[in-house]
Amino acid sequence: MKITSVSPLPVTVELGREPMSFCFLRIETDEGLVGYGEACDSFGASYAGVIGEIVSQVLAPLLIGRDLVAAEPLAEHLRLSTRRRLGDKGVAAQARSAVEIALQDLVAQAVGRSVSAHLGQVRDRVRIYASSTFLDEGPAGFHADLLAPLLERGVRLAKVRIGPEWQQDLRTLTELRGLLPDDVELMIDGSDTFTLATSMPIAARLGELGVRWFEEPIPQANRAAIAALSARSAVPIAYGEHLYGREDFLDALTHDGISVVQPDAATAGGIGESRAIAGLATYYGARVVPHVCAGPIALAANVALAATVPTINLIEYPLFLAPAWEALGAGDQFGIRAIEDGALPVPSGPGLGVRLADDVATRHPYRLPGARIAGTVGGVLDRFVGDR
Ligand SMILES: [Mg+2]
């Protein structure tokens, strides 16, 4: 089976909350098979056109005409061929992830099996946690109402986001804790916001509230501060959606002391790379909970990751993206109605088990983000500036 075309499909989907862009990828073969991939920048793919240019200008010429037998050797060929000039992190890793996922889709389709079955499926359902919005977007009741449809589907873990107004956010969180059933566990996402000095009292309060992890409390590059917090925090510290490849994760496990790792198959280098990362994390005694925050192909890839790694028993489910998955035709597989007993079924159809409509790019034309900063609804433009 030879690769005949590699095409990026950047799209922008109008959602009630804010427009979100996604970067899909379509690979065709001489046997008539079509595989889909997707790249995630941690929040859809805000600069999907940029990733698409990397695919078209850099990766496609390295793929077209090549024999496709297995996904991982080709993905590694792309990394080794480009790392010294393009780099192997950031958008370069995101673009390679999209390719690897599409290759996994094709290889599994070629043998008539699902990606999960082909890689060694260990579970038929993947437990999810509800990933919700910033605490400053409303009072505790607003957040409880957002989570309610998922709790009704049996979901028993939920994550909310804390920002620069962290003292008020902690009061809202305390009230939310009181509104939710006792058997619902909470996690907190800090979005790379805080200094060490601010992270410490937040972590202490989260410990008192029984929060399961504090995610990205400190900007990724402040390595010494992350290590200091990890050593002293009452709650486990989680990172991963901005880490690329097993070297990055090994570094974070060794030097930063993180205890929850969150690889995303659409970011870290693909399904195979993320499976390798999960193996490393298990060796370090860390919990592995894949990050998910993009379109249905990225979600399907992370479901396949969780379905094939015994130590992954939970993935993220960003509830505000469920309307996007519906709009893109994956509502039956991944919409809220597909959740049963707090888990999603692992698709059993050939390949990833999720397809995109042929006209997805014309139906949802890509729009440049301009000055819009994704994830800053409500005019809080300094949300990611932090507490400096
Ligand atoms: Mg996060």
Side-chain angles (χ1 to χ4, degrees):
M1 179 164 69
K2 281 195 190 314
I3 295 169
T4 54
S5 77
V6 181
S7 315
L9 299 169
V11 308
T12 299
V13 177
E14 299 298 332
L15 296 174
R17 184 183 159 82
E18 63 178 313
M20 268 193 80
S21 295
F22 304 101
C23 188
F24 300 113
L25 173 83
R26 180 185 161 102
I27 298 183
E28 296 179 20
T29 73
D30 62 354
E31 294 186 3
L33 294 178
V34 177
Y36 287 100
E38 184 180 355
C40 176
D41 69 8
S42 82
F43 193 78
S46 301
Y47 310 106
V50 175
I51 298 171
E53 285 302 314
I54 292 173
V55 169
S56 298
Q57 294 185 30
V58 183
L59 304 181
L62 293 166
L63 290 165
I64 290 169
R66 290 192 76 100
D67 274 321
L68 173 56
V69 179
E72 287 175 64
L74 266 187
E76 184 64 0
H77 167 69
L78 295 181
R79 188 181 76 83
L80 295 175
S81 303
T82 58
R83 68 188 169 93
R84 279 172 56 79
R85 303 290 176 258
L86 185 69
D88 63 357
K89 299 185 192 301
V91 287
Q94 293 156 13
R96 280 188 290 103
S97 300
V99 169
E100 198 264 7
I101 292 166
L103 297 176
Q104 296 276 11
D105 189 18
L106 285 165
V107 169
Q109 285 184 49
V111 295
R113 307 183 79 184
S114 70
V115 170
S116 298
H118 186 57
L119 293 176
Q121 189 169 344
V122 295
R123 53 176 61 87
D124 295 330
R125 311 177 55 72
V126 171
R127 199 163 59 119
I128 60 164
Y129 73 86
S131 184
S132 193
T133 59
F134 284 90
L135 284 160
D136 64 18
E137 289 181 31
F142 164 83
H143 292 285
D145 289 347
L146 281 181
L147 295 172
L150 276 87
L151 302 190
E152 282 167 17
R153 307 295 302 175
V155 174
R156 281 296 169 267
L157 299 103
K159 187 174 79 187
V160 287
R161 291 156 214 276
I162 191 167
E165 302 299 323
W166 57 275
Q167 294 98 332
Q168 177 56 44
D169 285 352
L170 284 176
R171 286 191 285 273
T172 305
L173 177 67
T174 304
E175 208 181 319
L176 177 62
R177 175 65 281 174
L179 291 178
L180 296 174
D182 286 346
D183 66 342
V184 172
E185 297 192 289
L186 283 171
M187 293 82 79
I188 293 294
D189 192 335
S191 304
D192 271 338
T193 299
F194 303 104
T195 57
L196 175 61
T198 306
S199 297
M200 290 298 294
I202 296 174
R205 180 64 186 138
L206 299 184
E208 291 168 2
L209 291 169
V211 165
R212 289 300 300 272
W213 74 65
F214 190 6
E215 176 174 328
E216 292 197 318
I218 294 170
Q220 190 85 56
N222 302 161
R223 308 287 302 278
I226 295 170
L229 179 65
S230 295
R232 289 140 74 187
S233 170
V235 290
I237 301 301
Y239 278 87
E241 66 189 75
H242 295 99
L243 295 173
Y244 308 98
R246 65 195 88 176
E247 288 102 335
D248 252 9
F249 279 87
L250 185 58
D251 204 22
L253 286 160
T254 308
H255 301 297
D256 301 354
I258 62 172
S259 47
V260 180
V261 301
Q262 302 169 307
D264 185 327
T267 304
I271 297 169
E273 188 70 20
S274 298
R275 280 160 49 87
I277 289 162
L280 284 177
T282 303
Y283 178 80
Y284 276 79
R287 187 177 185 190
V288 186
V289 185
H291 169 266
V292 174
C293 193
I297 304 295
L299 174 54
N302 284 302
V303 166
L305 168 63
T308 57
V309 176
T311 51
I312 300 179
N313 67 5
L314 183 68
I315 67 169
E316 184 166 11
Y317 186 93
L319 54 90
F320 47 88
L321 282 180
W325 302 331
E326 295 277 356
L328 293 163
D332 286 348
Q333 290 100 329
F334 298 140
I336 289 173
R337 65 180 182 277
I339 304 167
E340 272 181 49
D341 294 332
L344 282 175
V346 176
S348 55
L352 290 169
V354 180
R355 314 279 299 167
L356 292 173
D358 287 341
D359 61 349
V360 64
T362 47
R363 264 204 287 165
H364 303 281
Y366 173 60
R367 289 199 283 124
L368 292 170
R372 177 171 60 83
I373 300 170
T376 55
V377 176
V380 189
L381 287 174
D382 61 351
R383 175 162 281 152
F384 301 129
V385 173
D387 63 335
R388 282 156 188 77

